[in-house]
Amino acid sequence: MNQISPLYRREQVSRVPLRTAPESEEQQAFRPSRSQPHANLLMDYVRTISRWRVAILCCAVVGGLLSLLFNLDVLPLYQARTSLDIQSINGDFLNMRNVAPTGDGGAFSNESYVQTQIKLLQSTTLLDRTVDHLKAEPHPASLDRQDLISTLKRSLHLSHGQDLAFNDLVDDTAKRVKVKPLGITRLVEVTCDSWDARFAARFCNTLTEQFREVDLETRGTEAQKTSEWLTRQVADVRQKAEESQRKLEAATGGDGLALSQSSNSIGEDRLRQLQGELVRAQAERMQRESQSRIAQTSAADALPASIESASYRDYKQKLADLNARVAELVPPLTEDNPKVMHLRSEIREIERGMTQERSSTTDRMRNEFESARRHEDLLNAAYATLQSSVSSEMSKAARVNLLRREVESEQTLYQTLLQRAKEAGFASAMQATTIRVVDRGIPPRLPISPRRGVAGGVGVVLGSFCGLGFAFFRDRHANVFRVPGEAERHLHVHELGVIPSANTSRRGQILPVLRTRSLASGAVFDSSSAPALTCWNENFSIVAEAYRNTTHSILLAGVARRRSRVYVVTSPNAGEGKTTVTTNLGIALSKSKLRVVVIDGDLRKPGLHKNLLVENNFGLRNILRDEVSVATASLSELCKQTVVPNLFMIPSGTGREEVVELLHSGSAITRLLDRLALEFDVVLIDTPPMLHMADARILAAQSDGVLLVLRAGLTSRDQASSACDLFENDQVPLVGTILNDFNPVREGRSEYYQSYYRYKEEIEAAEAAGVGL
């Protein structure tokens, strides 16, 4: 034991320089390079994620659960599909092209024809017709909701809640109908989205049936109108032919007089020529009248090719091309897209041009009809005038020949019109349609939305991002000491040591530190009753090695002369492990062949005697009350021997006096420390947290320095800085800091003790090999 005068012990020294105590290999390896402060930025991110992995995982789970909860009452949307084959009408069948005024006549390409049918399938008129048809059929007033909550209620026989109204279901499904071509084929796909799987298929099938019926009705109506008009024309021509026949019979007297077919008379030749022109004028007038009527009664896009102008056909072709371009853009583009709006504007311009061209065509045909009719009237008048002016030399044979020719021409016209009327009748009787259903809609098994798996995945991803944001925010704004070296950088005070957590191991397993063991003195005690103690009898214990390293730094901390040292061990706040650190530092120093005494200066909440298994029936309170003379009492009266060799202890003692008054009462504490400095090499005083209580500052004024214990992840930098400032104002030297409860796995530094455990395994393997030999 060092015999040093207590006068030297009270010398005040300044705060210890950083260079006085050597650092351990682990601390040197951990400390980042000053020349490259951001060299391990990626590793910092990884460590931050590892440090907050539980919070990130919880955010991901919460995000996934929230996304699933939000979709519990969402109605599932089912999609039914049906495909149609859009075929073109065969205009050559039964020569129907010549009698069908609505035939395309080859003016449309197959692509434009398919696009036209697609637009018709999407027309509001067809959808309204389908909706009216479905509502007219027998149907329930409402259907069961298919969301998870409603399904669960029905399975548990609870209240069903609100059901789906059938009319709302029909109207909503009508809004979700989509039609698109399948590649470059004639096939068209119709999709219907609905809240009910069976109804989605039903709506698709009803829509296609209604489309086929509309197509049949349109074609049948047009053919019937044509047939009816031709029938009326046939009746008129037949009546005229019969009248001409009667005239011929009257002129011949019914005796079948055969008249000469040739005449050298100029008047007869002129009359014959005029008669031929009159027949042609009549035929032309009929043709013009037919075309005029067809132009007036036909649909806008169903003019026969024979009466369409070149400009009108060009407009049709341009309109088809523009519709095809719009179909290519919508979707994916919307109607508000500038390209789509520009195409729509061009379509409206083309449609206005077509309307004007059709109007001009109708006017032209009407004028041509009126011209032909006036021409016919003029020819009739000329013919009548010429006939009356023919000289009397014109014989009865000439008139008979003229009547015969008239009868023949009218009969020819009658036969032609009759043939066309029969063909139109066949066309109207044929129930031909260009729509063929390839695949009927069937109820889908799975909904297209919501996709709860995808929603859950998105929720997990979003929750993970939120957790990452929270982790980086908290980590960047965390004001606590986490890893070794931070206290030295922020407080400019030497870091004496780093104490790892008791459950720290290479693979995250709990170290077997709590077991019954035998000390060198022969005493046996159970460490389960003193959980703060470390496994000191093991050859390799990372916690014990950390305390040995810390004690070495304390012994070398700025004191060159060999003398006793009195240190106060404190912390800024409670719960930072100062009592545990004091206990293990005392054990570590005693194993260095030093005589050590630890004093439980925490008179408010004593706990040091529990760690060292010493009774608290006499201690510091009793000494401060002068119940024993410090100068004359024996060492055994002042201190109690612990189960650890060379380690003694003064408990807190008994009593209820005010602590501050007791510490300020006389010079008992000074006499006690002077006596202990003569008897022991190191004196450690465990004190209460010093930020809110003055006990540590009072005792520190009587010591050689302060050991400040900081708990990793708990002690804030501001609190530690405040503690340092208070000791500096009190002119008390701060020997250094001890970082307690450092968990490298929790802080993302799992490799921190890797070299130690590798070295340990090599030693154990070598010992095992030596035993085997």
Side-chain angles (χ1 to χ4, degrees):
M1 181 179 63
N2 296 330
Q3 301 294 331
I4 302 176
S5 174
L7 296 177
Y8 291 99
R9 190 182 56 77
R10 292 291 170 260
E11 293 180 356
Q12 301 294 335
V13 296
S14 61
R15 192 172 289 181
V16 180
L18 296 179
R19 57 181 176 85
T20 55
E23 294 181 337
S24 63
E25 294 181 358
E26 290 84 355
Q27 296 177 13
Q28 294 176 357
F30 173 77
R31 186 184 305 280
S33 175
R34 291 186 175 91
S35 60
Q36 296 179 350
H38 301 291
N40 295 325
L41 183 60
L42 181 60
M43 288 302 301
D44 289 341
Y45 290 155
V46 174
R47 288 162 182 162
T48 299
I49 295 174
S50 176
R51 185 180 300 121
W52 294 93
R53 59 187 180 275
V54 177
I56 296 173
L57 180 61
C58 291
C59 290
V61 172
V62 170
L65 293 177
L66 288 178
S67 64
L68 294 177
L69 289 176
F70 289 154
N71 290 320
L72 286 179
D73 60 344
V74 176
L75 283 171
L77 196 63
Y78 297 90
Q79 185 176 86
R81 303 172 182 269
T82 182
S83 56
L84 305 176
D85 181 12
I86 308 297
Q87 301 174 341
S88 300
I89 284 291
N90 184 10
D92 294 331
F93 179 69
L94 292 179
N95 201 21
M96 287 188 294
R97 181 177 297 173
N98 294 329
V99 298
T102 59
D104 57 14
F108 293 106
S109 63
N110 182 63
E111 182 179 357
S112 62
Y113 181 73
V114 171
Q115 292 297 328
T116 302
Q117 299 302 314
I118 289 176
K119 293 302 179 183
L120 292 176
L121 276 168
Q122 293 176 324
S123 64
T124 305
T125 303
L126 181 62
L127 291 176
D128 292 342
R129 176 170 175 164
T130 304
V131 169
D132 294 339
H133 180 79
L134 289 171
K135 290 182 179 180
E137 291 181 350
H139 61 269
S142 61
L143 289 82
D144 293 334
R145 291 173 60 94
Q146 299 299 323
D147 58 282
L148 290 179
I149 293 181
S150 299
T151 303
L152 182 61
K153 286 182 178 180
R154 287 194 299 271
S155 62
L156 298 177
H157 302 288
L158 300 176
S159 175
H160 289 183
Q162 296 181 352
D163 294 332
L164 291 175
F166 183 81
N167 292 338
D168 294 340
L169 179 64
V170 175
D171 295 336
D172 182 80
T173 306
K175 298 176 182 177
R176 302 177 186 271
V177 175
K178 297 179 181 178
V179 185
K180 64 178 180 179
L182 296 179
I184 58 174
T185 64
R186 298 178 311 187
L187 297 180
V188 172
E189 183 183 66
V190 181
T191 59
C192 302
D193 300 343
S194 179
W195 298 325
D196 186 88
R198 290 190 298 271
F199 185 78
R202 179 184 174 188
F203 194 95
C204 268
N205 295 328
T206 305
L207 179 66
T208 55
E209 291 173 359
Q210 293 299 314
F211 183 57
R212 293 180 77 252
E213 290 181 3
V214 169
D215 184 69
L216 287 173
E217 292 175 0
T218 302
R219 297 185 185 280
T221 301
E222 294 297 330
Q224 185 178 3
K225 290 181 180 179
T226 303
S227 177
E228 293 175 353
W229 182 83
L230 288 174
T231 302
R232 291 194 298 269
Q233 294 299 318
V234 167
D236 294 340
V237 173
R238 180 179 178 180
Q239 184 178 1
K240 292 180 180 181
E242 291 176 352
E243 184 178 355
S244 299
Q245 183 67 27
R246 287 194 297 269
K247 290 180 180 181
L248 179 60
E249 291 178 355
T252 58
D255 55 0
L257 176 63
L259 300 177
S260 175
Q261 298 295 325
S262 62
S263 177
N264 295 326
S265 172
I266 296 176
E268 186 178 2
D269 292 339
R270 177 59 181 163
L271 188 61
R272 188 180 295 110
Q273 182 181 0
L274 191 60
Q275 184 182 14
E277 292 179 359
L278 180 59
V279 172
R280 288 192 295 271
Q282 289 177 346
E284 184 179 0
R285 188 264 305 167
M286 292 181 183
Q287 182 181 1
R288 299 300 181 186
E289 184 179 1
S290 174
Q291 292 178 351
S292 178
R293 289 180 178 274
I294 290 174
Q296 293 176 1
T297 59
S298 298
D301 57 344
L303 285 177
S306 59
I307 63 175
E308 287 181 349
S309 64
S311 299
Y312 191 82
R313 287 194 292 272
D314 292 339
Y315 279 133
K316 277 189 173 180
Q317 185 63 37
K318 292 180 180 178
L319 180 61
D321 293 339
L322 291 175
N323 285 329
R325 292 172 61 186
V326 171
E328 292 176 356
L329 295 178
V330 179
L333 301 181
T334 62
E335 292 294 335
D336 295 333
N337 188 274
K339 293 183 179 181
V340 178
M341 295 174 67
H342 179 70
L343 291 176
R344 293 294 188 191
S345 176
E346 291 184 1
I347 289 174
R348 289 191 292 271
E349 290 295 330
I350 293 298
E351 289 175 347
R352 284 194 293 269
M354 290 179 66
T355 302
Q356 294 176 359
E357 186 64 24
R358 174 179 172 82
S359 177
S360 62
T361 300
T362 303
D363 294 338
R364 176 176 55 81
M365 290 182 178
R366 185 168 59 253
N367 293 334
E368 289 177 353
F369 166 67
E370 292 294 331
S371 177
R373 187 167 57 83
R374 286 195 297 270
H375 183 235
E376 181 184 3
D377 294 339
L378 291 175
L379 286 177
N380 282 327
Y383 179 79
T385 303
L386 183 61
Q387 189 178 21
S388 62
S389 64
V390 173
S391 65
S392 58
E393 287 85 8
M394 290 293 295
S395 63
K396 186 179 180 180
R399 292 194 301 270
V400 170
N401 289 334
L402 184 60
L403 290 174
R404 184 181 291 117
R405 291 179 183 276
E406 184 178 352
V407 169
E408 290 176 357
S409 65
E410 290 179 354
Q411 287 180 350
T412 302
L413 179 60
Y414 172 75
Q415 293 297 330
T416 302
L417 293 176
L418 183 60
Q419 179 67 24
R420 295 291 184 266
K422 290 181 180 180
E423 293 174 357
F426 278 116
S428 61
M430 288 290 295
Q431 296 295 321
T433 179
T434 60
I435 311 302
R436 184 175 68 89
V437 178
V438 178
D439 294 321
R440 289 182 57 83
I442 58 176
R445 296 181 179 179
L446 299 176
I448 59 173
S449 69
R451 297 185 177 180
R452 294 180 175 86
V454 176
V458 172
V460 169
V461 172
L462 293 178
S464 300
F465 278 115
C466 293
L468 287 172
F470 171 78
F472 283 107
F473 177 81
R474 288 295 302 273
D475 197 71
R476 292 299 178 267
H477 293 79
N479 194 27
V480 296
F481 297 107
R482 294 186 179 278
V483 294
E486 286 187 350
E488 186 172 309
R489 288 194 297 269
H490 291 280
L491 302 177
H492 304 289
V493 177
H494 188 66
E495 188 173 71
L496 299 174
V498 178
I499 309 302
S501 299
N503 61 345
T504 301
S505 69
R506 184 176 181 180
R507 297 173 179 82
Q509 298 174 352
I510 298 178
L511 290 175
V513 299
L514 304 179
R515 68 167 184 262
T516 302
R517 54 191 180 274
S518 175
L519 300 176
S521 64
V524 179
F525 71 96
D526 188 359
S527 64
S528 61
S529 61
L533 297 180
T534 315
C535 184
W536 289 97
N537 283 346
E538 286 190 356
N539 291 332
F540 287 95
S541 171
I542 187 63
V543 180
E545 294 296 339
Y547 278 110
R548 292 189 185 101
N549 195 16
T550 304
T551 57
H552 184 68
S553 298
I554 294 174
L555 295 176
L556 297 178
V559 182
R561 52 189 176 275
R562 298 293 181 180
R563 62 180 181 83
S564 299
R565 300 178 179 89
V566 178
Y567 295 124
V568 168
V569 182
T570 186
S571 62
N573 296 296
E576 293 173 339
K578 57 178 181 51
T579 301
T580 302
V581 171
T582 303
T583 303
N584 287 280
L585 286 178
I587 296 175
L589 289 169
S590 66
K591 286 185 174 292
S592 299
K593 305 303 181 181
L594 297 176
R595 287 174 58 82
V596 182
V597 59
V598 293
I599 302 175
D600 194 349
D602 190 351
L603 303 180
R604 305 169 190 270
K605 188 180 178 182
L608 195 60
H609 64 284
K610 298 179 181 178
N611 291 347
L612 293 175
L613 304 179
V614 175
E615 294 184 1
N616 190 19
N617 52 4
F618 180 88
L620 183 60
R621 282 182 178 270
N622 305 92
I623 295 174
L624 294 180
R625 289 197 302 265
D626 294 327
E627 294 182 7
V628 62
S629 175
V630 176
T632 60
S634 63
L635 186 63
S636 60
E637 293 177 338
L638 296 176
C639 307
K640 295 184 179 182
Q641 173 70 46
T642 66
V643 293
V644 181
N646 296 325
L647 180 61
F648 296 82
M649 178 187 175
I650 298 179
S652 62
T654 59
R656 296 181 177 276
E657 299 86 357
E658 182 65 32
V659 175
V660 177
E661 295 178 1
L662 193 62
L663 292 176
H664 281 290
S665 59
S667 58
I669 187 65
T670 304
R671 293 194 304 272
L672 174 63
L673 294 178
D674 291 341
R675 172 72 184 277
L676 294 177
L678 296 173
E679 300 289 342
F680 296 95
D681 298 312
V682 179
V683 179
L684 299 177
I685 306 175
D686 181 29
T687 61
M690 53 84 52
L691 281 183
H692 306 293
M693 287 173 271
D695 303 14
R697 298 172 63 185
I698 296 173
L699 294 173
Q702 306 295 326
S703 67
D704 293 319
V706 175
L707 305 178
L708 188 63
V709 178
L710 310 175
R711 193 180 189 92
L714 181 63
T715 305
S716 69
R717 298 169 186 172
D718 295 337
Q719 294 170 346
S721 179
S722 300
C724 293
D725 293 340
L726 288 175
F727 286 126
E728 185 176 6
N729 294 334
D730 295 342
Q731 296 183 353
V732 175
L734 185 59
V735 179
T737 62
I738 300 174
L739 184 64
N740 186 32
D741 194 27
F742 169 61
N743 189 337
V745 177
R746 180 185 61 199
E747 303 299 335
R749 310 279 180 170
S750 57
E751 75 283 355
Y752 188 76
Y753 292 108
Q754 186 175 4
S755 61
Y756 171 83
Y757 285 107
R758 184 166 55 249
Y759 181 76
K760 174 183 176 181
E761 290 176 356
E762 291 175 356
I763 295 298
E764 291 177 349
E767 291 178 354
V771 173
L773 292 176

mmCIF file of all heavy atoms in Angstrom, residues 30 60 125 133 142 160 210 384 474 481 544 589 598 641 681 716:
data_model
loop_
_atom_site.group_PDB
_atom_site.id
_atom_site.type_symbol
_atom_site.label_atom_id
_atom_site.label_comp_id
_atom_site.label_asym_id
_atom_site.label_seq_id
_atom_site.Cartn_x
_atom_site.Cartn_y
_atom_site.Cartn_z
ATOM 1 N N PHE A 30 -12.428 1.398 -34.487
ATOM 2 C CA PHE A 30 -13.772 1.962 -34.718
ATOM 3 C C PHE A 30 -13.736 3.429 -35.106
ATOM 4 O O PHE A 30 -14.565 3.908 -35.859
ATOM 5 C CB PHE A 30 -14.610 1.776 -33.450
ATOM 6 C CG PHE A 30 -15.934 2.460 -33.505
ATOM 7 C CD1 PHE A 30 -16.972 1.904 -34.229
ATOM 8 C CD2 PHE A 30 -16.135 3.675 -32.867
ATOM 9 C CE1 PHE A 30 -18.182 2.536 -34.297
ATOM 10 C CE2 PHE A 30 -17.348 4.301 -32.952
ATOM 11 C CZ PHE A 30 -18.363 3.726 -33.656
ATOM 12 N N ALA A 60 -43.715 -1.369 -41.675
ATOM 13 C CA ALA A 60 -44.092 -2.157 -42.854
ATOM 14 C C ALA A 60 -45.318 -3.021 -42.560
ATOM 15 O O ALA A 60 -46.247 -3.099 -43.372
ATOM 16 C CB ALA A 60 -42.919 -3.025 -43.292
ATOM 17 N N THR A 125 -77.016 4.986 -77.610
ATOM 18 C CA THR A 125 -78.314 4.394 -77.963
ATOM 19 C C THR A 125 -78.331 2.909 -77.679
ATOM 20 O O THR A 125 -79.302 2.376 -77.099
ATOM 21 C CB THR A 125 -78.604 4.654 -79.450
ATOM 22 O OG1 THR A 125 -78.564 6.054 -79.699
ATOM 23 C CG2 THR A 125 -79.976 4.097 -79.824
ATOM 24 N N HIS A 133 -83.616 -3.091 -71.624
ATOM 25 C CA HIS A 133 -83.978 -4.502 -71.771
ATOM 26 C C HIS A 133 -83.732 -5.263 -70.465
ATOM 27 O O HIS A 133 -84.567 -6.096 -70.058
ATOM 28 C CB HIS A 133 -83.155 -5.113 -72.906
ATOM 29 C CG HIS A 133 -83.445 -6.568 -73.135
ATOM 30 N ND1 HIS A 133 -84.551 -7.010 -73.830
ATOM 31 C CD2 HIS A 133 -82.778 -7.684 -72.745
ATOM 32 C CE1 HIS A 133 -84.561 -8.331 -73.861
ATOM 33 N NE2 HIS A 133 -83.479 -8.768 -73.211
ATOM 34 N N SER A 142 -82.608 -6.040 -55.237
ATOM 35 C CA SER A 142 -81.245 -5.771 -54.781
ATOM 36 C C SER A 142 -80.464 -7.068 -54.760
ATOM 37 O O SER A 142 -81.034 -8.159 -54.791
ATOM 38 C CB SER A 142 -81.245 -5.131 -53.386
ATOM 39 O OG SER A 142 -81.840 -6.010 -52.442
ATOM 40 N N HIS A 160 -77.030 -7.798 -42.590
ATOM 41 C CA HIS A 160 -76.435 -7.725 -43.920
ATOM 42 C C HIS A 160 -75.985 -6.323 -44.277
ATOM 43 O O HIS A 160 -75.129 -6.141 -45.123
ATOM 44 C CB HIS A 160 -77.441 -8.207 -44.968
ATOM 45 C CG HIS A 160 -77.666 -9.679 -44.891
ATOM 46 N ND1 HIS A 160 -78.474 -10.336 -45.777
ATOM 47 C CD2 HIS A 160 -77.183 -10.602 -44.040
ATOM 48 C CE1 HIS A 160 -78.493 -11.628 -45.456
ATOM 49 N NE2 HIS A 160 -77.721 -11.807 -44.410
ATOM 50 N N GLN A 210 -78.354 -7.508 -78.309
ATOM 51 C CA GLN A 210 -79.033 -6.291 -78.751
ATOM 52 C C GLN A 210 -78.343 -5.690 -79.976
ATOM 53 O O GLN A 210 -79.006 -5.155 -80.874
ATOM 54 C CB GLN A 210 -79.076 -5.276 -77.606
ATOM 55 C CG GLN A 210 -79.948 -5.689 -76.440
ATOM 56 C CD GLN A 210 -81.398 -5.874 -76.856
ATOM 57 O OE1 GLN A 210 -81.987 -5.047 -77.558
ATOM 58 N NE2 GLN A 210 -81.987 -6.985 -76.415
ATOM 59 N N ALA A 384 -96.381 15.000 -129.245
ATOM 60 C CA ALA A 384 -97.798 15.228 -129.583
ATOM 61 C C ALA A 384 -97.955 16.225 -130.727
ATOM 62 O O ALA A 384 -98.792 16.050 -131.618
ATOM 63 C CB ALA A 384 -98.537 15.713 -128.345
ATOM 64 N N ARG A 474 -35.030 10.235 -37.015
ATOM 65 C CA ARG A 474 -34.693 10.103 -35.599
ATOM 66 C C ARG A 474 -33.197 9.915 -35.399
ATOM 67 O O ARG A 474 -32.616 10.433 -34.434
ATOM 68 C CB ARG A 474 -35.454 8.918 -35.007
ATOM 69 C CG ARG A 474 -36.939 9.152 -34.826
ATOM 70 C CD ARG A 474 -37.191 10.252 -33.804
ATOM 71 N NE ARG A 474 -36.601 9.948 -32.506
ATOM 72 C CZ ARG A 474 -37.196 9.253 -31.564
ATOM 73 N NH1 ARG A 474 -38.418 8.802 -31.761
ATOM 74 N NH2 ARG A 474 -36.598 9.008 -30.420
ATOM 75 N N PHE A 481 -25.629 9.608 -27.037
ATOM 76 C CA PHE A 481 -24.398 8.901 -27.379
ATOM 77 C C PHE A 481 -24.744 7.452 -27.706
ATOM 78 O O PHE A 481 -25.428 6.778 -26.929
ATOM 79 C CB PHE A 481 -23.411 8.955 -26.217
ATOM 80 C CG PHE A 481 -22.964 10.355 -25.882
ATOM 81 C CD1 PHE A 481 -23.420 10.993 -24.749
ATOM 82 C CD2 PHE A 481 -22.098 11.030 -26.721
ATOM 83 C CE1 PHE A 481 -23.016 12.278 -24.442
ATOM 84 C CE2 PHE A 481 -21.691 12.330 -26.432
ATOM 85 C CZ PHE A 481 -22.148 12.953 -25.294
ATOM 86 N N ALA A 544 -15.564 -8.441 -18.903
ATOM 87 C CA ALA A 544 -14.462 -8.321 -17.944
ATOM 88 C C ALA A 544 -13.259 -7.653 -18.582
ATOM 89 O O ALA A 544 -12.589 -6.810 -17.960
ATOM 90 C CB ALA A 544 -14.094 -9.706 -17.419
ATOM 91 N N LEU A 589 -9.949 -3.488 -10.405
ATOM 92 C CA LEU A 589 -8.780 -2.916 -9.752
ATOM 93 C C LEU A 589 -8.217 -3.853 -8.688
ATOM 94 O O LEU A 589 -6.993 -3.957 -8.506
ATOM 95 C CB LEU A 589 -9.161 -1.569 -9.127
ATOM 96 C CG LEU A 589 -9.424 -0.426 -10.111
ATOM 97 C CD1 LEU A 589 -10.048 0.763 -9.400
ATOM 98 C CD2 LEU A 589 -8.139 0.003 -10.814
ATOM 99 N N VAL A 598 -14.648 0.676 -2.054
ATOM 100 C CA VAL A 598 -15.757 1.346 -2.736
ATOM 101 C C VAL A 598 -16.711 1.859 -1.674
ATOM 102 O O VAL A 598 -16.998 1.174 -0.684
ATOM 103 C CB VAL A 598 -16.473 0.395 -3.715
ATOM 104 C CG1 VAL A 598 -15.564 0.040 -4.869
ATOM 105 C CG2 VAL A 598 -16.961 -0.857 -3.006
ATOM 106 N N GLN A 641 -14.959 -6.252 4.548
ATOM 107 C CA GLN A 641 -14.325 -7.083 3.515
ATOM 108 C C GLN A 641 -15.407 -7.767 2.673
ATOM 109 O O GLN A 641 -16.361 -8.340 3.182
ATOM 110 C CB GLN A 641 -13.443 -8.138 4.185
ATOM 111 C CG GLN A 641 -12.858 -9.163 3.223
ATOM 112 C CD GLN A 641 -11.797 -8.565 2.321
ATOM 113 O OE1 GLN A 641 -10.928 -7.846 2.776
ATOM 114 N NE2 GLN A 641 -11.903 -8.846 1.032
ATOM 115 N N ASP A 681 -5.121 1.882 -2.154
ATOM 116 C CA ASP A 681 -4.552 2.437 -3.384
ATOM 117 C C ASP A 681 -5.584 3.244 -4.177
ATOM 118 O O ASP A 681 -5.241 4.264 -4.772
ATOM 119 C CB ASP A 681 -4.012 1.312 -4.272
ATOM 120 C CG ASP A 681 -2.890 0.559 -3.579
ATOM 121 O OD1 ASP A 681 -1.979 1.221 -3.048
ATOM 122 O OD2 ASP A 681 -2.929 -0.695 -3.584
ATOM 123 N N SER A 716 -28.146 11.835 -23.215
ATOM 124 C CA SER A 716 -28.124 12.832 -24.283
ATOM 125 C C SER A 716 -26.847 13.665 -24.199
ATOM 126 O O SER A 716 -26.218 13.790 -23.151
ATOM 127 C CB SER A 716 -29.345 13.745 -24.192
ATOM 128 O OG SER A 716 -29.266 14.580 -23.058
#
